Amino acid sequence: MSRPLIGITAYAEVARWGVWDTRAVLVPEAYVRMVRQAGARAVVLPPDDADDAKELIGRLDALVLAGGADIEPAHYGASPHPTTRTRPDRDAGELAVLTAALEADRPVLGVCRGMELLAVAYGGSLHQHLPDLLGNSRHQPAPGVYGAHPARFAPGSCAARVFGDAGEVNSYHHQAVDSPGALTVTGWADDGVIEAIEDPARRFVLGVQWHPEEAGDVRPFAALVAAV
């Protein structure tokens, strides 16, 4: 049997390597490494326009929504917070690809921004700046520095099957899910921030607010591949 093809949504950012300093389509290698360790092949998906989303999903076995910039608040009926930094190209392309994946019943894993995108796609909303809500920056302590905190998961949920009843997670986000829309909340940080959401009516739709790929935690990627 051929290995499953897993699409990973990518950034379009200015990047430097060698003698070059230009815009590039890129994704942290940790995502690709985890997909490979899970027994699948990774396909990097640029934030293109939405016209060919159904055709693209027709060639893929599952989808990973990667982390990154904030989602445009207009998608959930809000005005932007002063700290909100968006990438409209990613919003448009990823919402189209996600919609096509859900229509085709492809397994979906959302990581950080990807979890927030799932919530928005299911009719939910976001807290735009956690320090306003919590009074601290523990979920994003400093630029490029991951926070660490406990999380617990609902018994019997997909999240609990993947991660167990509880564990420590690494986080880097200043936004978080407020309302999950039609999704079910199945994970929480010790301060009440939502850490996992899922759609129990589908074979695999899971969002996690932290970064398992950076921790070398292959479990959610292996669960995604197993659902193919």
Side-chain angles (χ1 to χ4, degrees), residues 143-166:
V145 177
Y146 287 89
H149 57 81
R152 60 183 176 86
F153 306 103
S157 66
C158 175
R161 289 193 295 273
V162 173
F163 301 108
D165 294 335

Side-chain angles (χ1 to χ4, degrees), residues 26 28 30 36 55 110 113 124 135 139 175 210-211 217 224:
L26 54 88
R36 287 176 174 167
E55 179 185 355
R113 167 194 158 90
H139 292 270
Q175 300 197 335
W210 70 97
H211 284 273
D217 186 354
L224 177 77

Side-chain angles (χ1 to χ4, degrees), residues 24-83:
V25 172
L26 54 88
V27 68
E29 187 191 13
Y31 289 102
V32 175
R33 188 165 59 248
M34 290 298 99
V35 166
R36 287 176 174 167
Q37 287 188 19
R41 292 185 181 275
V43 179
V44 174
L45 308 179
D48 288 335
D49 59 32
D51 294 343
D52 60 352
K54 289 186 177 181
E55 179 185 355
L56 175 62
I57 287 297
R59 300 185 181 194
L60 298 174
D61 296 302
L63 178 66
V64 174
L65 300 168
D70 302 327
I71 297 162
E72 170 56 53
H75 288 298
Y76 50 95
S79 299
H81 187 278
T83 64

Side-chain angles (χ1 to χ4, degrees), residues 59-181:
R59 300 185 181 194
L60 298 174
D61 296 302
L63 178 66
V64 174
L65 300 168
D70 302 327
I71 297 162
E72 170 56 53
H75 288 298
Y76 50 95
S79 299
H81 187 278
T83 64
T84 297
R85 300 290 182 267
T86 63
R87 294 292 188 277
D89 58 338
R90 285 194 67 181
D91 292 349
E94 291 177 12
L95 284 167
V97 170
L98 173 57
T99 298
L102 295 174
E103 289 177 352
D105 194 28
R106 296 292 191 270
V108 178
L109 172 65
V111 175
C112 198
R113 167 194 158 90
M115 170 172 137
E116 295 164 8
L117 194 76
L118 277 172
V120 170
Y122 273 78
S125 61
L126 306 179
H127 294 295
Q128 289 190 55
H129 194 54
L130 278 178
D132 291 349
L133 180 70
L134 302 177
N136 63 65
S137 301
R138 68 194 296 253
H139 292 270
Q140 191 182 66
V145 177
Y146 287 89
H149 57 81
R152 60 183 176 86
F153 306 103
S157 66
C158 175
R161 289 193 295 273
V162 173
F163 301 108
D165 294 335
E168 185 171 276
V169 300
N170 61 333
S171 61
Y172 190 77
H173 59 100
H174 79 112
Q175 300 197 335
V177 171
D178 178 11
S179 164

